[in-house]
Amino acid sequence: MLLTVFQAWRTQVHNRRSVRPLLQLRYSLPQGGTAELVLNSIGLGPAVIVSSRLLLDGKPLGGLDRDSVNRLRAQLETRPHATTFVPGEACPRESSHALLSLPGYDKKKNAEFTNLLEHRLRIEIVYESLYGGEDFRACFPRTADVRT
């Protein structure tokens, strides 16, 4: 009996791990290419967005929804392209989404965008697997603690 309970528990653990999502936020600034802040889903299963926080210069703007991202973009001289997410939306496994992107990036001309990504912007995304309740987090920059 004890062995059966243990095996059932191990099967449940294995099943949860087999669909564990993993989100990463990374940016690139290639001269002449498309500069972007990308959300990559590199885990084994889809990530369900629970909540998100967007901060500019330490001040909360909201989440990764359209209104909040547009408030961010309105404060910039050059308006980057954007992709938004709302709570409950799933990010499929092995997918990439450019949260902010600027085609034809020029280091001198687009210094404001560089400064935004390297110094001013903070993002936190709370997500879970299809099982729910795990409270996984992806932060940008990775060492940032945006929970205030």
Side-chain angles (χ1 to χ4, degrees):
M1 170 83 165
L2 185 59
L3 183 58
T4 303
V5 171
F6 178 74
Q7 287 176 327
W9 174 77
R10 291 298 299 158
T11 299
Q12 182 183 24
V13 168
H14 170 75
N15 289 345
R16 281 182 172 257
R17 287 184 179 159
S18 69
V19 295
R20 186 191 189 290
L22 179 60
L23 296 181
Q24 287 186 336
L25 290 156
R26 297 183 184 259
Y27 74 97
S28 63
L29 302 167
Q31 181 69 25
T34 299
E36 56 191 359
L37 171 61
V38 177
L39 175 65
N40 292 307
S41 178
I42 61 171
L44 299 173
V48 178
I49 306 294
V50 174
S51 65
S52 60
R53 290 186 42 150
L54 182 65
L55 294 93
L56 181 63
D57 299 324
K59 297 175 185 151
L61 292 176
L64 287 175
D65 58 274
R66 179 181 290 170
D67 291 340
S68 299
V69 172
N70 282 340
R71 279 194 296 278
L72 166 69
R73 297 189 311 161
Q75 296 184 45
L76 303 174
E77 192 174 305
T78 302
R79 189 177 170 106
H81 300 282
T83 300
T84 59
F85 287 91
V86 295
E89 193 168 352
C91 187
R93 68 183 212 108
E94 297 181 6
S95 64
S96 292
H97 306 275
L99 298 181
L100 295 172
S101 62
L102 192 61
Y105 172 76
D106 180 89
K107 184 178 179 177
K108 291 180 184 176
K109 180 180 163 193
N110 302 121
E112 178 189 43
F113 190 71
T114 305
N115 188 45
L116 172 71
L117 295 181
E118 293 184 345
H119 304 289
R120 302 179 64 201
L121 184 65
R122 300 287 180 261
I123 298 173
E124 178 184 56
I125 301 172
V126 178
Y127 63 98
E128 59 191 19
S129 73
L130 295 175
Y131 285 100
E134 296 95 350
D135 197 35
F136 299 128
R137 293 178 190 276
C139 295
F140 177 82
R142 199 165 62 158
T143 58
D145 183 10
V146 295
R147 291 181 266 178
T148 56

